[in-house]
Amino acid sequence: MIQTTEISRNVHIMDLPKNETDCKLLLMSDLHWDNPKCERKLLKKHLDEAKEKNAKVIINGDFFCLMQGKGDPRRNKDDIRDEHNNAKYLDSIIKTAVEWFEPYAEIIELITYGNHETGIIKHQETDVLERFVERLNTVANPKNKVNVGGYSGWFIVRHSRKNKTKSPTKVYKIKYHHGYGGGGPVTKGTIQHQREMNKVQGADMLWMGHVHEDYEMTYTYEYLDHQNNVKHKDVCMLRTASYKEEYQDGYGGFHIERGRPVKPMGGRWLDLKFGRSENGGTVVKPLTYKTLM
């Protein structure tokens, strides 16, 4: 059985069974699940597909939207669902979210913070994400509990072969950060990835969300191995989009008034294959590709 262990509050390791060399992950961010503009049919389609493929799910921030509470200057009556329009706004979101996501508790490995969750901590003094995950783990009682990460942190996939002396443990390290700043009409947020690469070492993937864009780039650098041989390493710089469709028909609203374009939707699949290289060492072959609409 796949098991995820919390090493620290923002470092988690997912161990694969020794007889399994393939791992499929569904990487998602910016669900904004409680917003009326969240494309729940698309979200459900992708989560159902993950269950069918025996994939695990990681959600990188802004799981919730949470903007319609008392005293929130962003609140808009058009942006609240009927079931949340009551005196217990935040509590009702937690309750209905647990009911909606209970069928998927077994496949969700990690949910991390975005600016929408941290904003509620700052202004309302309650941690909605922590409360949601605690209740989901209690109600659904998954064999492998859902974990909570940080705004930034590490998720490591680890595979140990039966004979560790001949085939050592291999890991694939994902550095996640929900994101910051704007995407930019031209750069789409790629500048933030370049900035992060200046301060992060050892990652195989640097994954961000936040700006509701979708892209993959390869960052390659040079290093010396333990025998002083010059080597090259590829780092996958990944951005996942959103499940909140704000453009609609382009008639109006905050998104349109700001001149923002139509944004991509969905997440990314990550296929990891743990195998052997030509010289006998272990390798990980990653493959990422877009979820289908």
Side-chain angles (χ1 to χ4, degrees), residues 11-15 154-158 171-174:
V11 178
H12 295 79
I13 297 180
M14 187 176 79
D15 284 296
W154 294 81
F155 186 83
I156 301 166
V157 182
R158 182 167 61 185
V171 297
Y172 187 84
K173 298 180 181 179
I174 300 173

Side-chain angles (χ1 to χ4, degrees), residues 5-259:
T5 304
E6 181 181 291
I7 304 303
S8 65
R9 62 182 182 175
N10 65 338
V11 178
H12 295 79
I13 297 180
M14 187 176 79
D15 284 296
L16 302 182
K18 289 182 171 59
N19 60 340
E20 293 187 16
T21 57
D22 294 355
C23 172
K24 183 181 289 291
L25 297 173
L26 175 55
L27 308 181
M28 316 169 88
S29 66
D30 302 276
L31 307 187
H32 297 277
W33 176 84
D34 52 301
N35 192 290
K37 295 184 176 69
C38 172
E39 293 288 339
R40 288 192 180 181
K41 288 184 179 180
L42 181 65
L43 176 60
K44 184 179 186 302
K45 174 186 175 182
H46 292 164
L47 290 172
D48 286 341
E49 189 176 351
K51 288 187 70 172
E52 292 172 4
K53 294 180 176 180
N54 197 29
K56 295 298 184 179
V57 178
I58 312 174
I59 302 170
N60 186 1
D62 284 357
F63 186 95
F64 295 113
C65 209
L66 307 172
M67 295 196 298
Q68 311 313 316
K70 184 177 180 180
D72 195 320
R74 303 167 297 179
R75 67 188 185 279
N76 184 330
K77 291 181 179 179
D78 289 337
D79 288 334
I80 187 170
R81 292 180 178 270
D82 291 340
E83 63 268 30
H84 302 148
N85 192 11
N86 55 63
K88 294 185 177 181
Y89 169 67
L90 294 178
D91 291 334
S92 65
I93 288 177
I94 294 170
K95 181 178 182 296
T96 53
V98 169
E99 294 170 353
W100 202 91
F101 283 95
E102 184 177 355
Y104 308 108
E106 291 288 352
I107 64 172
I108 300 174
E109 293 297 311
L110 180 70
I111 306 176
T112 73
Y113 289 90
N115 52 290
H116 282 254
E117 288 87 14
T118 58
I120 292 299
I121 296 173
K122 179 180 179 182
H123 296 291
Q124 302 293 335
E125 298 182 338
T126 186
D127 191 333
V128 172
L129 189 62
E130 185 73 37
R131 289 169 58 194
F132 163 71
V133 171
E134 284 181 354
R135 185 161 180 168
L136 182 64
N137 283 331
T138 301
V139 172
N141 193 25
K143 295 179 182 178
N144 185 29
K145 71 173 186 176
V146 180
N147 292 277
V148 178
Y151 196 98
S152 171
W154 294 81
F155 186 83
I156 301 166
V157 182
R158 182 167 61 185
H159 179 258
S160 300
R161 298 181 67 87
K162 293 180 179 180
N163 190 335
K164 294 184 179 181
T165 58
K166 294 183 178 180
S167 302
T169 299
K170 187 64 179 178
V171 297
Y172 187 84
K173 298 180 181 179
I174 300 173
K175 169 65 179 179
Y176 66 83
H177 190 297
H178 176 64
Y180 50 88
V186 177
T187 63
K188 306 291 185 181
T190 57
I191 291 176
Q192 284 94 329
H193 260 111
Q194 298 290 348
R195 288 171 176 160
E196 287 299 304
M197 284 305 305
N198 286 327
K199 62 184 181 184
V200 174
Q201 291 185 353
D204 298 294
M205 171 183 286
L206 177 56
W207 171 31
M208 304 175 78
H210 185 60
V211 297
H212 298 194
E213 297 289 356
D214 173 84
Y215 60 77
E216 176 189 344
M217 302 186 300
T218 301
Y219 183 101
T220 306
Y221 65 87
E222 175 187 311
Y223 70 98
L224 288 177
D225 66 9
H226 64 284
Q227 295 179 334
N228 292 323
N229 297 311
V230 175
K231 299 288 185 178
H232 299 163
K233 180 176 176 61
D234 289 341
V235 180
C236 177
M237 300 197 298
L238 192 70
R239 180 84 68 170
T240 44
S242 175
Y243 284 83
K244 180 183 176 184
E245 211 292 84
E246 297 182 89
Y247 192 89
Q248 304 290 307
D249 63 356
Y251 174 81
F254 180 83
H255 192 83
I256 303 302
E257 291 177 12
R258 291 295 183 95

